[in-house]
Amino acid sequence: KKIIKKIIKKIINKAKYFIYLYKLRKNFSNTSNLKNKKNKYPLSGYYNYDYNYNPKTSVIISNFNAEKTLIRSLKNLSEIRKEIEIIIVNDQGLLSSNLNKALTNSNDLIINSRDLGECLSYKNGANVSRSSDYLIFCQSDDLIPSDSSWYKDCIKEFKKDKELGLISLNGGGFYDKNFEPINFRRTKKFPIKEYCSWLKFGPFIIKRDIYFSIGGFKSFSLVGETANAVDRLLTLEVIKYGYKAMLFINKNTEKWKRREGRDDGLSVDDLRKLKNRNISFKKTEKLFLNTYGKDIKNIQKNL
């Protein structure tokens, strides 16, 4: 009886093996017309032809309490999926199945963290980026347009001006007396394409090699949310490195919707009323100006 059981077990295992091979061959024959086949005999039996080995751009998104808006943005990136990779830094500690399903390409990444803050989230995302040319940093409560013209317009600006290193689609300008920041968005007529000495975050598009050459985002303050003033510091570092920073707002980039919606229902006005936010903002602002005041004055002279 033992011998018969062993023989039956061997026959069953052999049968399973041949069924497995048959499925592999069938899968391959069904996909034989696909281009750029990288792995003809995957051990898992699955063929991933959507992996982007050479993405031009990494879209790095810090997610905190805005998953619904984020999932809408991910769908809206479909027009440029062939040349981008998506890296989400999920700073909520827990990963939801809905967010996981929203990433459809094989090389999309999710980094799970717990309340690291916006600045460190971007640094972690950039460190695993595989893009060749650009990094785009944005927040999960900002809605990315479904029309990809904003992206194409920004790439055109980089190609036209080889000295352009950083673009913001939100705000920017120069420092007036006592370092009061003049915002071109409030003083210039639409459309706006101006070189600036400071840029306001949301989103930032930067040349990859410049980002890593200057050391990326710097958490120079650990008072409250560490992202306070790091957008202006990154702008300053780009200019000191010999490149230009631009505020770029036209009919296409204007379609970015800032603060579209958070899952907790808090509005921009609600966030501005937060006591800890206001305290940390003022302390960080003072530290930034005290630390980099001389650098700011120097770059202002050359604009």
Side-chain angles (χ1 to χ4, degrees):
K1 289 182 179 180
K2 289 181 179 180
I3 293 173
I4 293 172
K5 284 182 179 180
K6 285 183 179 180
I7 293 172
I8 292 173
K9 191 174 182 180
K10 282 185 178 181
I11 293 172
I12 292 172
N13 288 338
K14 277 286 184 182
K16 287 181 178 179
Y17 175 69
F18 283 117
I19 291 171
Y20 173 71
L21 287 180
Y22 170 75
K23 287 182 177 180
L24 283 181
R25 289 170 183 168
K26 186 177 180 182
N27 285 342
F28 183 67
S29 64
N30 290 339
T31 56
S32 59
N33 61 331
L34 293 175
K35 297 179 180 179
N36 300 324
K37 291 183 285 294
K38 300 294 183 182
N39 184 4
K40 294 183 179 181
Y41 309 104
L43 294 178
S44 65
Y46 292 95
Y47 294 87
N48 293 325
Y49 292 102
D50 62 350
Y51 190 91
N52 191 344
Y53 283 80
N54 301 109
K56 176 188 285 189
T57 303
S58 295
V59 180
I60 302 167
I61 306 173
S62 173
N63 177 43
F64 188 81
N65 240 332
E67 185 179 296
K68 293 177 181 178
T69 302
L70 171 57
I71 290 175
R72 290 171 63 193
S73 290
L74 296 178
K75 291 179 181 178
N76 288 347
L77 287 169
S78 59
E79 277 192 11
I80 54 173
R81 281 279 24 197
K82 290 183 178 180
E83 62 180 82
I84 69 168
E85 66 174 359
I86 297 173
I87 300 170
I88 294 175
V89 185
N90 185 50
D91 204 27
Q92 300 183 133
L94 296 174
L95 176 61
S96 75
S97 59
N98 289 334
L99 181 56
N100 194 40
K101 290 176 183 177
L103 292 178
T104 55
N105 276 44
S106 298
N107 60 324
D108 291 339
L109 294 176
I110 295 179
I111 301 173
N112 222 35
S113 58
R114 184 183 294 277
D115 207 15
L116 281 180
E118 192 179 339
C119 181
L120 291 178
S121 293
Y122 294 138
K123 288 174 70 70
N124 287 345
N127 287 340
V128 297
S129 162
R130 291 157 293 194
S131 65
S132 58
D133 294 2
Y134 305 101
L135 302 173
I136 297 177
F137 297 97
C138 60
Q139 297 163 312
S140 58
D141 58 350
D142 294 345
L143 183 62
I144 301 173
S146 58
D147 180 357
S148 62
S149 297
W150 65 271
Y151 172 77
K152 295 171 184 175
D153 288 352
C154 290
I155 301 304
K156 285 179 184 176
E157 292 301 320
F158 281 115
K159 289 182 178 179
K160 280 195 294 186
D161 187 351
K162 300 301 180 183
E163 294 182 357
L164 179 60
L166 175 66
I167 290 177
S168 169
L169 306 184
N170 186 10
F174 62 90
Y175 297 94
D176 202 5
K177 296 178 181 179
N178 300 319
F179 299 114
E180 179 67 26
I182 303 300
N183 194 331
F184 286 151
R185 183 151 199 165
R186 296 169 186 165
T187 60
K188 298 280 184 178
K189 291 183 179 180
F190 180 88
I192 301 171
K193 190 169 74 171
E194 296 282 350
Y195 293 119
C196 303
S197 57
W198 68 271
L199 291 176
K200 187 177 180 181
F201 190 81
F204 266 10
I205 303 146
I206 187 170
K207 287 182 177 177
R208 177 192 171 92
D209 57 345
I210 294 175
Y211 174 85
F212 286 106
S213 295
I214 64 176
F217 282 102
K218 293 182 175 64
S219 304
F220 68 95
S221 168
L222 293 177
V223 181
E225 170 54 65
T226 55
N228 286 343
V230 297
D231 47 4
R232 284 197 266 167
L233 177 55
L234 188 74
T235 310
L236 183 65
E237 293 290 325
V238 168
I239 297 172
K240 285 172 60 180
Y241 192 60
Y243 287 84
K244 300 174 185 175
M246 175 191 284
L247 173 62
F248 182 42
I249 302 174
N250 64 13
K251 63 179 182 179
N252 294 319
T253 65
E254 181 76 357
K255 292 176 183 177
W256 268 78
K257 294 184 179 179
R258 283 282 290 163
R259 308 300 188 197
E260 171 69 7
R262 290 166 55 101
D263 294 344
D264 56 13
L266 292 178
S267 66
V268 177
D269 291 334
D270 294 330
L271 294 173
R272 287 172 180 163
K273 293 175 184 177
L274 293 176
K275 183 179 178 181
N276 285 351
R277 180 183 182 276
N278 292 325
I279 293 173
S280 65
F281 183 84
K282 290 177 182 177
K283 287 182 176 294
T284 307
E285 180 81 359
K286 186 177 180 179
L287 177 62
F288 172 71
L289 295 177
N290 288 340
T291 307
Y292 299 103
K294 290 183 180 179
D295 289 328
I296 292 171
K297 287 180 180 179
N298 289 333
I299 66 170
Q300 287 281 113
K301 293 177 184 177
N302 298 320
L303 285 179

